[in-house]
Coordinates of all heavy atoms in Angstrom, one line a residue:
L1 N 6.1 8.5 16.9 CA 5.3 9.6 16.2 C 6.0 10.9 16.3 O 6.1 11.6 15.2 CB 3.9 9.7 17.0 CG 3.1 10.9 16.3 CD1 2.8 10.5 14.8 CD2 1.7 10.8 17.1
A2 N 6.6 11.3 17.4 CA 7.4 12.5 17.5 C 8.5 12.7 16.5 O 8.6 13.6 15.8 CB 7.8 12.8 18.9
A3 N 9.2 11.6 16.4 CA 10.3 11.5 15.4 C 9.8 11.7 13.9 O 10.4 12.4 13.1 CB 11.2 10.3 15.5
W4 N 8.6 11.1 13.6 CA 8.1 11.2 12.2 C 7.6 12.6 11.9 O 7.7 13.1 10.9 CB 7.1 10.1 11.9 CG 6.6 10.1 10.6 CD1 7.2 9.4 9.7 CD2 5.5 10.8 10.0 NE1 6.5 9.5 8.4 CE2 5.6 10.4 8.6 CE3 4.5 11.6 10.5 CZ2 4.5 11.0 7.7 CZ3 3.7 12.1 9.6 CH2 3.6 11.8 8.3
L5 N 7.0 13.2 13.0 CA 6.5 14.5 12.8 C 7.6 15.5 12.5 O 7.3 16.5 11.8 CB 5.6 14.9 14.0 CG 4.3 14.2 14.2 CD1 3.6 14.6 15.6 CD2 3.3 14.6 13.1
Q6 N 8.8 15.2 13.0 CA 9.9 16.2 12.8 C 10.4 16.0 11.4 O 11.0 16.9 10.8 CB 11.0 15.8 13.8 CG 10.8 16.3 15.1 CD 11.8 15.9 16.2 OE1 12.8 15.4 15.8 NE2 11.6 16.2 17.5
K7 N 10.1 14.9 10.7 CA 10.6 14.5 9.3 C 9.5 13.8 8.6 O 9.5 12.6 8.3 CB 11.9 13.8 9.3 CG 12.4 13.7 7.9 CD 13.7 13.0 8.0 CE 14.2 12.8 6.6 NZ 15.4 12.0 6.5
P8 N 8.4 14.4 8.3 CA 7.1 13.7 7.7 C 7.4 13.1 6.4 O 6.6 12.4 6.0 CB 6.1 14.8 7.8 CG 6.8 16.1 7.9 CD 8.1 15.9 8.5
A9 N 8.3 13.6 5.7 CA 8.7 13.0 4.4 C 9.1 11.5 4.5 O 9.1 10.8 3.5 CB 9.6 13.8 3.5
A10 N 9.6 11.1 5.6 CA 10.2 9.8 5.9 C 9.1 8.8 5.8 O 7.8 9.1 5.9 CB 10.8 9.7 7.2
D11 N 9.4 7.5 5.4 CA 8.3 6.4 5.4 C 7.7 6.3 6.6 O 8.3 6.1 7.8 CB 9.1 5.1 5.0 CG 8.2 4.0 4.8 OD1 7.0 4.1 5.1 OD2 8.7 2.9 4.4
P12 N 6.3 6.4 6.7 CA 5.7 6.4 8.0 C 5.4 4.9 8.5 O 4.8 4.7 9.5 CB 4.2 6.9 7.7 CG 4.1 6.6 6.1 CD 5.5 6.7 5.6
A13 N 6.1 3.9 7.8 CA 6.0 2.6 8.4 C 6.5 2.4 9.8 O 6.0 1.4 10.5 CB 6.7 1.7 7.4
A14 N 7.4 3.2 10.2 CA 8.0 3.1 11.5 C 7.0 3.4 12.5 O 7.0 3.0 13.7 CB 9.2 4.0 11.6
L15 N 5.8 4.0 12.2 CA 4.7 4.2 13.1 C 3.9 3.0 13.4 O 3.3 2.8 14.4 CB 3.7 5.3 12.6 CG 4.4 6.7 12.3 CD1 3.2 7.5 11.6 CD2 4.9 7.4 13.6
G16 N 4.0 2.1 12.5 CA 3.3 0.8 12.6 C 1.8 0.9 12.4 O 1.3 2.0 12.2
N17 N 1.2 -0.3 12.4 CA -0.3 -0.3 12.4 C -0.7 -1.5 13.0 O -0.6 -2.6 12.7 CB -0.7 -0.4 10.8 CG -2.3 -0.5 10.7 OD1 -2.9 -0.7 11.6 ND2 -2.7 -0.1 9.5
D18 N -1.3 -1.2 14.3 CA -1.7 -2.3 15.2 C -2.8 -3.1 14.7 O -3.1 -4.1 15.1 CB -2.1 -1.7 16.5 CG -1.0 -1.1 17.4 OD1 0.1 -1.5 17.0 OD2 -1.2 -0.3 18.2
L19 N -3.6 -2.6 13.7 CA -4.7 -3.4 13.1 C -4.4 -4.2 12.0 O -5.1 -5.0 11.4 CB -5.8 -2.4 12.7 CG -6.6 -1.6 13.8 CD1 -7.5 -0.5 13.3 CD2 -7.3 -2.7 14.6
S20 N -3.2 -4.0 11.4 CA -2.8 -4.8 10.2 C -3.0 -6.3 10.5 O -3.4 -7.1 9.6 CB -1.5 -4.4 9.6 OG -0.5 -4.6 10.5
L21 N -2.3 -6.9 11.5 CA -2.2 -8.3 11.8 C -3.7 -9.0 11.9 O -4.0 -9.9 11.2 CB -1.4 -8.6 12.9 CG -1.2 -10.1 13.2 CD1 -0.5 -10.7 12.0 CD2 -0.3 -10.2 14.5
P22 N -4.6 -8.3 12.6 CA -6.0 -8.8 12.6 C -6.7 -8.8 11.3 O -7.3 -9.8 10.9 CB -6.7 -8.1 13.7 CG -5.8 -7.2 14.3 CD -4.5 -7.3 13.6
V23 N -6.4 -7.7 10.5 CA -7.1 -7.5 9.2 C -6.5 -8.6 8.3 O -7.2 -9.3 7.5 CB -6.9 -6.1 8.7 CG1 -7.3 -6.0 7.3 CG2 -7.7 -5.1 9.4
F24 N -5.0 -8.7 8.4 CA -4.5 -9.8 7.4 C -5.0 -11.2 7.8 O -5.0 -12.1 6.8 CB -3.0 -9.6 7.5 CG -2.4 -8.4 6.8 CD1 -1.1 -8.1 6.9 CD2 -3.2 -7.6 6.2 CE1 -0.5 -7.1 6.4 CE2 -2.6 -6.5 5.5 CZ -1.3 -6.2 5.6
R25 N -5.2 -11.5 9.0 CA -5.7 -12.8 9.5 C -7.0 -13.1 8.9 O -7.4 -14.2 8.5 CB -5.7 -13.0 10.9 CG -4.3 -13.1 11.5 CD -4.4 -13.3 13.0 NE -3.1 -13.5 13.5 CZ -2.6 -13.1 14.7 NH1 -3.6 -12.6 15.6 NH2 -1.4 -13.2 15.2
K26 N -8.0 -12.1 8.8 CA -9.2 -12.2 8.4 C -9.4 -12.1 6.9 O -10.2 -12.9 6.4 CB -10.1 -11.1 9.0 CG -11.7 -11.2 8.7 CD -12.5 -10.2 9.4 CE -14.0 -10.4 9.0 NZ -14.8 -9.5 9.9
Y27 N -8.6 -11.3 6.1 CA -8.8 -11.2 4.8 C -7.5 -11.6 4.2 O -6.5 -10.9 3.8 CB -9.1 -9.8 4.4 CG -10.4 -9.3 4.9 CD1 -10.3 -8.4 6.1 CD2 -11.6 -9.6 4.5 CE1 -11.6 -8.0 6.6 CE2 -12.7 -9.2 5.0 CZ -12.8 -8.4 6.1 OH -14.0 -8.1 6.7
L28 N -7.3 -12.9 4.0 CA -6.0 -13.5 3.5 C -5.6 -13.0 2.1 O -4.4 -13.0 1.7 CB -6.2 -15.1 3.4 CG -6.4 -15.6 4.8 CD1 -6.5 -17.2 4.7 CD2 -5.4 -15.3 5.9
A29 N -6.5 -12.6 1.3 CA -6.1 -12.1 -0.1 C -5.3 -10.8 0.1 O -4.6 -10.5 -0.8 CB -7.4 -11.9 -0.9
L30 N -5.5 -9.9 1.1 CA -4.8 -8.7 1.2 C -3.3 -8.8 1.4 O -2.5 -8.4 0.6 CB -5.5 -7.9 2.4 CG -4.9 -6.5 2.6 CD1 -5.0 -5.6 1.3 CD2 -5.7 -5.8 3.7
P31 N -2.8 -9.6 2.5 CA -1.4 -9.8 2.5 C -0.7 -10.6 1.4 O 0.4 -10.2 0.9 CB -1.1 -10.6 3.8 CG -2.4 -11.2 4.1 CD -3.6 -10.3 3.5
M32 N -1.5 -11.4 0.7 CA -1.0 -12.3 -0.4 C -0.7 -11.2 -1.5 O 0.2 -11.1 -2.3 CB -2.0 -13.4 -0.8 CG -1.5 -14.2 -1.9 SD -1.9 -13.6 -3.6 CE -3.6 -13.3 -3.6
A33 N -1.8 -10.4 -1.8 CA -1.6 -9.4 -3.0 C -0.5 -8.5 -2.8 O 0.3 -8.2 -3.6 CB -3.0 -8.7 -3.1
L34 N -0.3 -8.0 -1.5 CA 0.7 -7.0 -1.2 C 2.0 -7.7 -1.3 O 3.1 -7.2 -1.7 CB 0.5 -6.4 0.3 CG -0.8 -5.6 0.5 CD1 -0.7 -5.0 1.7 CD2 -0.9 -4.6 -0.6
E35 N 2.3 -9.0 -1.0 CA 3.5 -9.7 -1.1 C 3.7 -9.9 -2.7 O 4.8 -9.7 -3.1 CB 3.3 -11.1 -0.5 CG 3.5 -10.9 1.1 CD 3.2 -12.3 1.7 OE1 3.3 -13.3 1.1 OE2 2.8 -12.4 2.9
V36 N 2.8 -10.2 -3.4 CA 3.0 -10.3 -4.9 C 3.4 -9.0 -5.5 O 4.2 -8.9 -6.3 CB 1.7 -10.9 -5.7 CG1 1.8 -10.7 -7.1 CG2 1.5 -12.3 -5.2
L37 N 2.8 -7.9 -5.1 CA 3.1 -6.5 -5.6 C 4.7 -6.2 -5.2 O 5.3 -5.6 -6.0 CB 2.2 -5.5 -5.2 CG 0.7 -5.7 -5.8 CD1 -0.3 -4.8 -5.0 CD2 0.7 -5.2 -7.2
Q38 N 5.0 -6.5 -3.9 CA 6.3 -6.4 -3.4 C 7.4 -7.0 -4.4 O 8.3 -6.5 -4.9 CB 6.4 -6.6 -2.0 CG 7.9 -6.7 -1.5 CD 8.7 -5.5 -1.5 OE1 8.1 -4.3 -1.2 NE2 10.0 -5.4 -1.9
A39 N 7.0 -8.4 -4.5 CA 8.0 -9.3 -5.2 C 8.1 -8.8 -6.8 O 9.1 -8.8 -7.3 CB 7.5 -10.6 -5.2
K40 N 7.0 -8.5 -7.3 CA 6.9 -8.2 -8.9 C 7.4 -6.8 -9.1 O 8.0 -6.6 -10.1 CB 5.6 -8.4 -9.4 CG 5.5 -8.3 -10.9 CD 4.2 -8.9 -11.3 CE 4.3 -8.9 -12.9 NZ 3.0 -9.5 -13.5
H41 N 7.0 -5.7 -8.3 CA 7.3 -4.4 -8.6 C 8.3 -3.7 -7.7 O 8.6 -2.6 -7.8 CB 6.0 -3.6 -8.6 CG 5.0 -4.2 -9.7 ND1 5.2 -4.0 -11.0 CD2 3.9 -4.9 -9.6 CE1 4.2 -4.5 -11.6 NE2 3.3 -5.2 -10.8
G42 N 8.6 -4.5 -6.6 CA 9.6 -3.8 -5.6 C 9.0 -2.7 -4.8 O 9.8 -1.8 -4.3
V43 N 7.7 -2.7 -4.6 CA 7.1 -1.5 -4.0 C 6.6 -2.1 -2.7 O 5.8 -3.2 -2.6 CB 5.9 -1.0 -4.8 CG1 5.3 0.1 -4.1 CG2 6.6 -0.4 -6.1
T44 N 6.8 -1.5 -1.6 CA 6.3 -1.9 -0.3 C 5.0 -1.1 0.1 O 4.9 0.1 0.0 CB 7.3 -1.6 0.9 OG1 8.5 -2.4 0.5 CG2 6.8 -2.0 2.2
F45 N 4.0 -1.9 0.3 CA 2.7 -1.2 0.5 C 2.4 -1.2 2.1 O 2.9 -2.1 2.7 CB 1.5 -2.0 -0.3 CG 1.5 -1.6 -1.7 CD1 2.3 -2.4 -2.5 CD2 0.5 -0.8 -2.2 CE1 2.3 -2.0 -4.0 CE2 0.5 -0.5 -3.4 CZ 1.3 -1.2 -4.4
R46 N 1.6 -0.2 2.4 CA 1.3 -0.2 3.9 C -0.4 -0.1 3.8 O -1.0 0.3 2.9 CB 1.9 1.2 4.5 CG 3.3 1.2 4.4 CD 3.9 0.1 5.4 NE 5.2 0.3 5.4 CZ 6.0 -0.9 5.4 NH1 5.5 -2.1 5.5 NH2 7.4 -0.7 5.4
M47 N -0.9 -0.4 5.0 CA -2.3 -0.3 5.1 C -2.6 0.8 6.1 O -2.2 1.0 7.1 CB -2.8 -1.7 5.6 CG -4.3 -1.7 5.7 SD -4.7 -3.5 6.5 CE -4.5 -3.1 8.1
T48 N -3.7 1.6 5.7 CA -4.3 2.6 6.7 C -5.2 1.9 7.7 O -6.0 1.0 7.3 CB -5.1 3.7 5.8 OG1 -6.2 3.2 5.2 CG2 -4.2 4.4 4.9
G49 N -5.2 2.4 8.8 CA -6.1 2.0 9.9 C -6.5 0.5 9.8 O -5.8 -0.3 9.9
S50 N -7.8 0.4 9.5 CA -8.4 -0.9 9.4 C -8.5 -1.6 8.0 O -9.1 -2.6 7.8 CB -9.8 -1.0 10.0 OG -10.6 -0.1 9.4
G51 N -7.8 -0.9 7.2 CA -7.6 -1.5 5.9 C -8.4 -0.9 4.7 O -8.6 -1.5 3.7
S52 N -9.0 0.2 4.9 CA -9.8 0.7 3.8 C -9.0 1.2 2.6 O -9.5 1.2 1.5 CB -10.7 1.9 4.4 OG -9.8 3.0 4.8
V53 N -7.7 1.5 2.9 CA -6.8 1.9 1.9 C -5.4 1.3 2.1 O -5.0 1.1 3.2 CB -6.7 3.4 1.8 CG1 -5.6 3.9 0.8 CG2 -8.0 4.1 1.5
C54 N -4.9 0.9 1.0 CA -3.4 0.5 0.9 C -2.6 1.6 0.1 O -3.1 2.0 -0.9 CB -3.2 -0.9 0.4 SG -3.8 -2.1 1.6
F55 N -1.5 1.8 0.5 CA -0.7 2.8 -0.2 C 0.8 2.6 -0.2 O 1.2 1.7 0.6 CB -0.8 4.2 0.4 CG -0.2 4.2 1.9 CD1 1.0 4.7 2.0 CD2 -1.0 3.9 2.9 CE1 1.6 4.8 3.3 CE2 -0.4 3.9 4.2 CZ 0.8 4.4 4.4
A56 N 1.5 3.1 -1.1 CA 2.9 2.9 -1.3 C 3.6 4.3 -1.5 O 3.0 5.1 -2.3 CB 3.3 1.9 -2.3
L57 N 4.7 4.6 -0.9 CA 5.5 5.7 -1.2 C 6.6 5.3 -2.2 O 7.3 4.5 -2.0 CB 6.2 6.2 0.1 CG 5.2 6.5 1.3 CD1 6.0 7.1 2.6 CD2 4.2 7.7 0.8
V58 N 6.5 5.9 -3.4 CA 7.4 5.7 -4.4 C 7.9 7.0 -5.0 O 7.4 8.1 -4.8 CB 6.6 4.9 -5.6 CG1 6.2 3.6 -5.0 CG2 5.5 5.6 -6.2
G59 N 9.0 6.9 -5.8 CA 9.6 8.0 -6.4 C 8.7 8.5 -7.5 O 7.8 7.8 -8.0
A60 N 9.1 9.7 -8.1 CA 8.3 10.3 -9.1 C 8.4 9.6 -10.5 O 7.6 9.5 -11.2 CB 8.9 11.7 -9.3
E61 N 9.5 8.7 -10.5 CA 9.7 7.9 -11.8 C 8.8 6.7 -11.8 O 8.7 6.0 -12.8 CB 11.1 7.5 -12.0 CG 11.6 6.5 -10.9 CD 11.8 7.0 -9.5 OE1 11.7 8.1 -9.3 OE2 12.1 6.2 -8.6
A62 N 8.1 6.4 -10.6 CA 7.3 5.1 -10.7 C 6.2 5.3 -11.5 O 5.5 6.3 -11.7 CB 6.8 4.9 -9.2
S63 N 5.8 4.1 -12.2 CA 4.5 4.1 -13.1 C 3.5 3.3 -12.2 O 3.6 2.2 -11.9 CB 4.9 3.5 -14.4 OG 3.8 3.4 -15.1
L64 N 2.3 3.9 -12.3 CA 1.1 3.3 -11.6 C 0.6 2.0 -12.5 O 0.2 1.0 -11.9 CB 0.0 4.3 -11.4 CG -1.2 3.7 -10.7 CD1 -1.0 3.2 -9.4 CD2 -2.3 4.9 -10.7
E65 N 0.6 2.2 -13.8 CA -0.1 1.2 -14.6 C 0.3 -0.1 -14.5 O -0.5 -1.1 -14.3 CB -0.1 1.7 -16.1 CG -1.1 1.0 -17.0 CD -2.5 1.1 -16.4 OE1 -2.9 2.2 -16.0 OE2 -3.3 0.1 -16.5
P66 N 1.7 -0.5 -14.5 CA 2.0 -1.9 -14.3 C 1.5 -2.5 -13.0 O 1.1 -3.6 -12.9 CB 3.5 -1.9 -14.4 CG 3.9 -0.7 -15.1 CD 2.7 0.4 -14.7
I67 N 1.6 -1.7 -11.9 CA 1.1 -2.1 -10.6 C -0.3 -2.4 -10.7 O -0.9 -3.5 -10.2 CB 1.5 -1.0 -9.5 CG1 2.9 -1.0 -9.4 CG2 0.8 -1.4 -8.2 CD1 3.4 0.2 -8.5
L68 N -1.2 -1.5 -11.3 CA -2.6 -1.8 -11.4 C -2.9 -3.0 -12.3 O -3.9 -3.8 -11.9 CB -3.3 -0.6 -12.1 CG -3.5 0.7 -11.2 CD1 -4.1 1.8 -11.9 CD2 -4.3 0.4 -10.0
E69 N -2.1 -3.2 -13.3 CA -2.3 -4.5 -14.1 C -2.2 -5.7 -13.2 O -3.0 -6.7 -13.3 CB -1.2 -4.5 -15.2 CG -1.6 -3.6 -16.3 CD -0.6 -3.5 -17.5 OE1 0.2 -4.5 -17.5 OE2 -0.5 -2.6 -18.2
T70 N -1.1 -5.7 -12.3 CA -1.0 -6.9 -11.4 C -2.2 -7.0 -10.5 O -2.7 -8.1 -10.2 CB 0.4 -6.8 -10.8 OG1 1.4 -6.8 -11.6 CG2 0.6 -7.9 -9.8
L71 N -2.5 -5.9 -10.0 CA -3.7 -5.9 -8.9 C -4.9 -6.4 -9.5 O -5.6 -7.1 -9.0 CB -3.8 -4.4 -8.4 CG -4.8 -4.3 -7.3 CD1 -4.4 -5.1 -6.1 CD2 -4.9 -2.8 -6.8
R72 N -5.1 -6.0 -10.8 CA -6.3 -6.4 -11.5 C -6.3 -8.0 -11.8 O -7.3 -8.6 -11.9 CB -6.7 -5.7 -12.8 CG -7.1 -4.2 -12.4 CD -7.4 -3.4 -13.6 NE -7.8 -2.0 -13.2 CZ -7.1 -1.0 -13.6 NH1 -6.2 -1.0 -14.5 NH2 -7.7 0.3 -13.2
L73 N -5.0 -8.4 -12.1 CA -4.9 -10.0 -12.2 C -5.3 -10.7 -10.9 O -5.8 -11.8 -11.0 CB -3.5 -10.3 -12.8 CG -3.1 -10.0 -14.1 CD1 -1.6 -10.1 -14.4 CD2 -4.0 -10.8 -15.1
L74 N -4.9 -10.1 -9.8 CA -5.1 -10.7 -8.5 C -6.6 -10.6 -8.1 O -7.1 -11.6 -7.6 CB -4.3 -10.1 -7.5 CG -2.7 -10.3 -7.6 CD1 -1.9 -9.4 -6.8 CD2 -2.4 -11.8 -7.4
W75 N -7.2 -9.4 -8.3 CA -8.5 -9.1 -7.7 C -9.6 -8.8 -8.7 O -10.6 -8.5 -8.3 CB -8.3 -7.9 -6.7 CG -7.7 -8.2 -5.5 CD1 -7.4 -9.6 -4.9 CD2 -7.3 -7.4 -4.4 NE1 -6.8 -9.4 -3.8 CE2 -6.7 -8.2 -3.5 CE3 -7.2 -6.1 -4.2 CZ2 -6.1 -7.6 -2.3 CZ3 -6.8 -5.5 -3.0 CH2 -6.2 -6.2 -2.1
G76 N -9.3 -8.7 -10.0 CA -10.2 -8.5 -10.9 C -10.3 -7.2 -11.5 O -9.6 -6.3 -11.0
E77 N -11.1 -6.9 -12.5 CA -11.1 -5.7 -13.2 C -11.6 -4.4 -12.4 O -11.4 -3.3 -12.8 CB -11.8 -5.7 -14.6 CG -11.2 -6.6 -15.6 CD -9.8 -6.0 -15.9 OE1 -9.7 -4.7 -16.3 OE2 -8.8 -6.6 -16.1
A78 N -12.4 -4.7 -11.4 CA -12.9 -3.6 -10.5 C -11.8 -3.0 -9.7 O -12.1 -1.9 -9.0 CB -14.0 -4.2 -9.6
A79 N -10.6 -3.6 -9.4 CA -9.6 -3.1 -8.6 C -9.2 -1.7 -9.2 O -9.2 -1.7 -10.4 CB -8.5 -4.1 -8.4
W80 N -8.9 -0.8 -8.4 CA -8.5 0.6 -8.9 C -7.3 1.1 -8.0 O -7.1 0.6 -6.9 CB -9.7 1.5 -8.9 CG -10.4 1.7 -7.6 CD1 -11.1 1.0 -7.0 CD2 -10.0 2.8 -6.7 NE1 -11.6 1.6 -5.8 CE2 -10.7 2.6 -5.6 CE3 -9.2 3.9 -6.8 CZ2 -10.8 3.6 -4.6 CZ3 -9.1 4.8 -5.8 CH2 -9.9 4.7 -4.6
G81 N -6.8 2.1 -8.5 CA -5.7 2.9 -7.8 C -5.7 4.3 -8.2 O -6.2 4.7 -9.2
R82 N -5.1 5.1 -7.3 CA -4.9 6.5 -7.8 C -3.5 7.0 -7.4 O -2.9 6.6 -6.4 CB -5.9 7.4 -6.9 CG -7.3 7.2 -7.3 CD -7.5 8.0 -8.5 NE -9.0 7.8 -8.9 CZ -9.3 7.0 -9.8 NH1 -8.5 6.4 -10.5 NH2 -10.6 6.9 -10.2
E83 N -2.9 7.9 -8.2 CA -1.7 8.3 -8.1 C -1.9 9.8 -7.4 O -2.7 10.5 -7.8 CB -1.0 8.6 -9.5 CG 0.5 9.0 -9.3 CD 1.1 9.0 -10.7 OE1 0.7 8.3 -11.6 OE2 2.1 9.8 -10.9
T84 N -1.1 10.0 -6.3 CA -1.2 11.2 -5.6 C 0.2 11.8 -5.2 O 1.2 11.0 -5.6 CB -2.0 11.1 -4.3 OG1 -1.4 10.2 -3.4 CG2 -3.4 10.5 -4.5
Q85 N 0.3 12.8 -4.6 CA 1.6 13.4 -4.2 C 1.4 13.6 -2.7 O 0.4 14.1 -2.2 CB 1.8 14.6 -4.8 CG 2.2 14.4 -6.3 CD 2.6 15.8 -7.0 OE1 2.2 16.8 -6.5 NE2 3.4 15.6 -8.0
L86 N 2.6 13.4 -2.0 CA 2.7 13.8 -0.5 C 3.3 15.1 -0.4 O 4.3 15.4 -0.9 CB 3.6 12.8 0.1 CG 3.8 12.9 1.6 CD1 2.5 12.7 2.4 CD2 5.0 12.0 2.1
L87 N 2.4 16.0 0.1 CA 2.8 17.5 0.4 C 3.4 17.6 1.7 O 2.8 17.3 2.6 CB 1.7 18.3 0.1 CG 0.9 18.2 -1.3 CD1 -0.3 19.1 -1.3 CD2 1.8 18.7 -2.4
V88 N 4.6 18.1 1.8 CA 5.2 18.3 3.0 C 5.8 19.8 3.1 O 6.1 20.4 2.1 CB 6.3 17.4 3.4 CG1 5.8 16.0 3.7 CG2 7.3 17.3 2.2

C-alpha cells in the first residue's frame, strides 16, 4: 500500500483483493465474463471489495461501447458501465 500511495497512478492490482477468490467461487459468471472481456478487448478488469463494482484502467483512446456490447451479450441488456477518469 505504501508503494502505491507514493505513485497512485500505477495499476492498483498490486494491492490485491482478498475477497475476489471467494466471490469468484460463488458467482462463476463473474470471472468468466472478465476473462472473455480480457481475451476479446485486451482489458484487465479488477473487482472492488466484495464485488459491487468491476473496473479497468485504460488509456484515453479506449472506447467503452465495444466493451459494453460484449458485456451485454454475456449478461443481458441490463448490464451497464460508466466511463470515468482517475484524478491524481
Side-chain angles (χ1 to χ4, degrees):
L1 178 59
W4 188 84
L5 288 173
Q6 290 177 2
K7 189 179 177 188
D11 184 352
L15 298 175
N17 181 342
D18 294 339
L19 290 174
S20 63
L21 189 56
V23 169
F24 286 177
R25 284 182 183 151
K26 184 171 182 177
Y27 302 102
L28 300 177
L30 186 56
M32 183 275 307
L34 298 183
E35 288 173 16
V36 169
L37 290 166
Q38 165 68 40
K40 187 166 183 176
H41 301 285
V43 177
T44 300
F45 285 81
R46 302 290 180 220
M47 184 182 79
T48 63
S50 59
S52 61
V53 173
C54 290
F55 65 94
L57 300 176
V58 298
E61 72 285 350
S63 176
L64 178 63
E65 199 53 42
I67 294 169
L68 285 177
E69 286 177 20
T70 301
L71 187 59
R72 289 182 182 126
L73 284 173
L74 295 168
W75 286 349
E77 288 299 314
W80 62 275
R82 289 288 176 251
E83 188 173 334
T84 63
Q85 292 181 333
L86 181 63
L87 302 175
V88 290

